Amino acid sequence: MVAEGLRIQDVSKTFTAPEGGSVRALDGVSLDVGTSEFVVLLGPSGCGKTTLLRAIAGLEDVDSGRIDLAGERLDTVPPFRRAVNTVFQSYALFPFLTVERNIAFGLEMERRPKAEIRQRVAHALELVELSGFAKRTPAQLSGGQQQRVALARALVKEPKVLLLDEPLGALDLKLRRQMQAELKRIQRSVGIAFLFVTHDQEEALALGDRIAVLNDGRIVQVGTPQEVYESPETRFVADFIGETNLLPVERDAAGTVTVAGQWKLVAAEIVGADEALVAGGDQVVLAVRPERVRIDPGGELRGVVAEAAYLGADVHVAIDMGEGLLINVRTDAQDAIPEVGERVAVRIDPRHTRLLSS
């Protein structure tokens, strides 16, 4: 990471729980964010992602660790002096102010010259493609337009890092996807770092240059969208991001792995399977994405179709392998759709599987 970026080093934060005791919201979190990088913090509710964002913004003090920005310590600086700005899910627009006054508010509080404020507000409106909406009030805007005003208000102060706390959560699915494309366009245009919080896996995959996956206050994996999806390092990541088959396996001293009691393969065929997983005493599972499973008469695993659902572009098929085990398959909708109760076989390419500790 270049020195000008954001660096989070071993940050921890503990809260007192209402019922007594304490909750460790952040547990030794470390993360680097480049100066023009779009990084997504992804995880379930309560994993610590919003607490981390608030710590960077100065809305929460950290118990230990440090946060640096542009090579200088940030976590000891008052919130209003930090070169970061935040966009919240609620937008928090002033209903009695026009769009341009909402955007100008922060600059006016800093007592910037009026000519400078007009110029920067006009540029911000142009950036979010709302130049013709300056005199409207928030009530006269759609949800997507209000979101753009909130973005413009945050960007007009020219922060080095923009923090976004689930800003698209209140929008419907179609509008969310439109705004995802807009966020990417805006981020590329302004060329600053975006740190975006979400619990939506598809949103994270669509937006992030890199994704940091959090669970129980810790970052459990950081990588590109392709890396965290195709090469999960833990069972949690495999199960949380997208849909995943987690198949029970048995191992022997010769390094042979038997999948679901039916299919034997040499562990060396499995990409990323290390000696500890193959020979160790921990329970392991074989992770494989449904789109990597193929219905094939010559397949290694056999079962009965329990469900077949047409989803438009593809078909979801659940195959009962016996003893309560289902294998989920996503196949092209142009292929023949198997009928419920039909006996089928499936083929799995070992190169698209991961052996993970359970």
Side-chain angles (χ1 to χ4, degrees):
M1 187 203 77
V2 294
E4 290 77 14
L6 177 69
R7 170 160 286 179
I8 301 159
Q9 302 176 72
D10 201 27
V11 166
S12 294
K13 175 67 178 180
T14 300
F15 292 103
T16 300
E19 64 275 11
S22 61
V23 176
R24 199 162 179 81
L26 298 174
D27 189 2
V29 171
S30 296
L31 179 68
D32 287 350
V33 180
T35 53
S36 58
E37 191 176 23
F38 200 129
V39 174
V40 176
L41 302 178
L42 174 67
S45 297
C47 72
K49 53 189 186 295
T50 293
T51 300
L52 180 58
L53 213 68
R54 290 173 60 84
I56 297 167
L59 303 177
E60 296 287 354
D61 294 328
V62 300
D63 298 334
S64 60
R66 62 182 288 161
I67 302 171
D68 293 349
L69 179 60
E72 297 183 357
R73 188 152 189 176
L74 185 71
D75 57 287
T76 57
V77 175
F80 61 89
R81 295 196 182 278
R82 301 189 184 195
V84 303
N85 220 333
T86 307
V87 178
F88 299 99
Q89 181 177 345
S90 63
Y91 311 154
L93 300 178
F94 297 112
F96 51 87
L97 295 182
T98 63
V99 166
E100 63 181 356
R101 289 293 309 283
N102 264 283
I103 296 171
F105 184 80
L107 300 176
E108 291 173 349
M109 292 298 99
E110 294 177 352
R111 300 186 181 279
R112 297 278 183 172
K114 291 183 178 180
E116 178 188 346
I117 292 175
R118 285 195 299 270
Q119 182 181 17
R120 287 170 66 170
V121 168
H123 176 69
L125 283 167
E126 183 179 353
L127 181 67
V128 299
E129 299 182 345
L130 287 177
S131 295
F133 295 77
K135 301 301 181 182
R136 296 192 187 185
T137 62
Q140 296 171 314
L141 303 176
S142 68
Q145 290 167 341
Q146 291 181 32
Q147 178 61 272
R148 294 186 190 194
V149 175
L151 276 169
R153 184 176 61 183
L155 291 169
V156 76
K157 294 187 67 175
E158 300 176 347
K160 292 181 178 178
V161 180
L162 186 65
L163 309 173
L164 302 106
D165 190 6
E166 302 202 50
L168 309 183
L171 305 180
D172 61 59
L173 179 60
K174 185 175 181 180
L175 189 52
R176 284 182 75 170
R177 289 178 174 169
Q178 291 175 353
M179 283 304 302
Q180 287 169 12
E182 280 297 296
L183 279 175
K184 290 291 286 185
R185 177 189 66 79
I186 292 168
Q187 192 265 340
R188 286 193 296 265
S189 178
V190 296
I192 65 171
F194 277 30
L195 193 58
F196 184 101
V197 162
T198 185
H199 62 270
D200 186 310
Q201 303 96 319
E202 289 188 6
E203 189 165 80
L205 293 170
L207 286 173
D209 297 324
R210 287 189 302 144
I211 298 171
V213 185
L214 286 86
N215 188 37
D216 292 335
R218 298 179 180 180
I219 292 180
V220 293
Q221 185 171 350
V222 181
T224 66
Q226 185 174 6
E227 286 169 347
V228 296
Y229 185 83
E230 298 286 357
S231 303
E233 296 175 358
T234 68
R235 177 171 180 162
F236 172 81
V237 175
D239 197 29
F240 185 75
I241 298 180
E243 187 179 1
T244 307
N245 292 296
L246 298 171
L247 308 178
V249 303
E250 297 176 353
R251 297 162 290 173
D252 62 25
T256 299
V257 175
T258 304
V259 182
Q262 297 187 37
W263 176 35
K264 294 184 182 295
L265 69 160
V266 178
E269 296 178 292
I270 305 170
V271 176
D274 58 31
E275 293 183 4
L277 283 177
V278 174
D282 292 342
Q283 294 293 315
V284 296
V285 291
L286 193 76
V288 58
R289 301 290 184 184
E291 65 270 19
R292 299 297 190 181
V293 184
R294 295 285 179 262
I295 296 176
D296 184 336
E300 305 88 354
L301 294 160
R302 298 182 179 275
V304 178
V305 175
E307 178 185 342
Y310 175 76
L311 302 177
D314 53 20
V315 175
H316 171 264
V317 181
I319 301 172
D320 186 352
M321 311 304 294
E323 299 184 0
L325 175 64
L326 292 176
I327 290 183
N328 292 300
V329 182
R330 280 188 179 267
T331 185
D332 195 303
Q334 296 181 354
D335 297 337
I337 301 176
E339 296 183 0
V340 173
E342 181 180 346
R343 294 195 64 82
V344 296
V346 297
R347 183 179 298 279
I348 302 173
D349 187 336
R351 295 174 300 176
H352 298 306
T353 64
R354 303 285 294 184
L355 202 60
L356 302 172
S357 175
S358 60

